[in-house]
Amino acid sequence: MCGDCIKQRCPDRGSICLDTGAYLLNFQGCSECKVREPLVVRDRHEETEEDGEETVTYQHVCPNCMHVIAEHSYTFSVEDDFQEYQMFCMLCGRGADTVSVLPDDPRRQQPLF
């Protein structure tokens, strides 16, 4: 992974969790060949564990010289009544989100009295 190719390392992306694509606003340009072209994905792997947890990993690579800019990791799991999403990438940042699988999210219900 190359910290010279990006503007900010692991920016906080809040609840944004990407399993594809790249955060190009954070891409400064390839430090090896000095080109700023849209990145390509290399070595994409998808794994599903027995408990249902899904993990997607891949590398953001310069299309000109094949320099590895960053490694991207995305995880999805279901725990109790919630879907859990997590992302970590030096280019795209870090993010996490939790979504209820129920029609009405119990965390957002307001007391009647």
Side-chain angles (χ1 to χ4, degrees):
M1 296 188 293
C2 183
D4 296 331
C5 299
I6 59 176
K7 295 176 184 175
Q8 179 185 2
R9 292 178 187 227
C10 302
D12 184 3
R13 300 292 304 279
S15 63
I16 296 174
C17 298
L18 307 172
D19 64 338
T20 60
Y23 184 42
L24 294 178
L25 290 175
N26 194 32
F27 181 52
Q28 179 164 278
C30 180
S31 65
E32 296 290 316
C33 67
K34 310 299 184 225
V35 172
R36 189 173 191 268
E37 295 289 328
L39 301 173
V40 296
V41 170
R42 184 172 71 184
D43 296 332
R44 182 179 169 92
H45 298 284
E46 296 183 31
E47 296 179 27
T48 303
E49 301 290 327
E50 289 180 16
D51 62 359
E53 180 175 294
E54 298 174 15
T55 303
V56 176
T57 57
Y58 58 90
Q59 295 177 331
H60 297 290
V61 179
C62 173
N64 190 47
C65 67
M66 302 310 283
H67 174 68
V68 177
I69 307 301
E71 294 191 14
H72 190 102
S73 174
Y74 166 85
T75 306
F76 167 78
S77 63
V78 176
E79 295 189 23
D80 298 325
D81 292 331
F82 296 95
Q83 295 176 334
E84 303 280 336
Y85 301 89
Q86 293 182 337
M87 173 186 74
F88 184 80
C89 177
M90 199 158 60
L91 172 68
C92 299
R94 62 185 185 284
D97 196 14
T98 302
V99 179
S100 174
V101 297
L102 301 173
D104 296 317
D105 190 341
R107 298 172 300 172
R108 296 192 177 153
Q109 290 181 356
Q110 294 184 3
L112 297 174
F113 301 99

